[in-house]
Amino acid sequence: MSGGRAVAGADGALRCPWALSTEDYVLYHDTEWGRPVHGDDALYERLCLEAFQSGLSWLTILRRREGFRTAFAGFEIAAVAEFGPQDVERLLADPGIIRNRAKIEATLANAKVLAGWAPGELDALIWSHAPAEPGPAPLSVADVPAVTDASTRLSKALKKAGIRFVGPTTAYALMQACGLVDDHLADCTARGR
């Protein structure tokens, strides 16, 4: 894989090597990963999905995304905040999602916390941790960190606010996925989009 540098796909476009293993990844890489995401519900969805991904392949989550959206009321914070114990049992029986009690309970608890926030407050908190200046473009996958000082600060801020299941690695994955940082490789066609 060219030492972790961008690789040409079937269409000849250079992409981050991880994006070429499946068509699902190609589409996600080209149209979504690293592009700015705003809005409390949209960021809540990404936060939840990153937490569910912990310990698993992102492809597992990506392929179940619609199942997650159906199971969790489209990740509308106000709707999920109304879920109760019967919903936990329903979700534990749902084959369309990852059936992990701790992650399900964290998703519901986080919605209950966020339902008490002012509109835009989650968006503002997350985006306040975006670096003021972009760092150097990574030349290879070896140059892409798993954790940064900014993701550690974001993790601490979210935890202090009562948000669960968001360690520094999960926070950095969120920052990458939602465009707070651009970790597309320097010669990747999606860099800077």
Side-chain angles (χ1 to χ4, degrees):
M1 282 216 180
S2 73
R5 293 185 177 274
V7 177
D11 60 359
L14 293 175
R15 292 183 177 86
C16 300
W18 63 264
L20 296 175
S21 63
T22 72
E23 284 300 316
D24 294 321
Y25 271 162
V26 172
L27 181 64
Y28 177 69
H29 171 272
D30 289 0
T31 63
E32 196 171 344
W33 191 74
R35 295 194 183 192
V37 174
H38 285 283
D40 294 339
D41 289 340
L43 287 165
Y44 169 67
E45 174 184 358
R46 299 324 189 284
L47 186 63
C48 294
L49 293 177
E50 293 296 346
F52 272 102
Q53 185 272 329
S54 181
L56 302 170
S57 159
W58 178 246
L59 188 59
T60 301
I61 303 304
L62 196 56
R63 288 182 172 165
R64 292 184 177 167
R65 191 178 201 178
E66 289 310 314
F68 275 106
R69 286 176 171 163
T70 299
F72 288 100
F75 288 101
E76 291 179 22
I77 294 168
V80 179
E82 298 297 320
F83 284 19
Q86 71 284 3
D87 293 294
V88 172
E89 297 310 313
R90 171 183 60 81
L91 293 164
L92 285 169
D94 188 335
I97 66 168
I98 304 303
R99 296 174 285 185
N100 177 297
R101 183 178 291 276
K103 293 175 182 181
I104 290 169
E105 289 177 348
T107 299
L108 275 55
N110 291 345
K112 289 180 188 336
V113 168
L114 294 171
W117 290 20
E121 193 171 349
L122 177 62
D123 190 301
L125 173 66
I126 289 173
W127 277 91
S128 73
H129 290 82
E133 295 293 324
L139 299 176
S140 75
V141 292
D143 298 330
V144 179
V147 174
T148 63
D149 290 343
S151 75
T152 300
R153 287 190 298 273
L154 175 57
S155 170
K156 287 180 181 177
L158 288 166
K159 287 179 180 178
K160 184 176 180 183
I163 303 301
R164 295 168 32 189
F165 236 102
V166 60
T169 303
T170 298
Y172 194 65
L174 177 75
M175 293 172 77
Q176 291 173 305
C178 295
L180 280 75
V181 295
D182 184 354
D183 276 346
H184 286 285
L185 301 183
D187 51 356
C188 174
T189 189
R191 177 137 188 106
R193 285 188 183 166

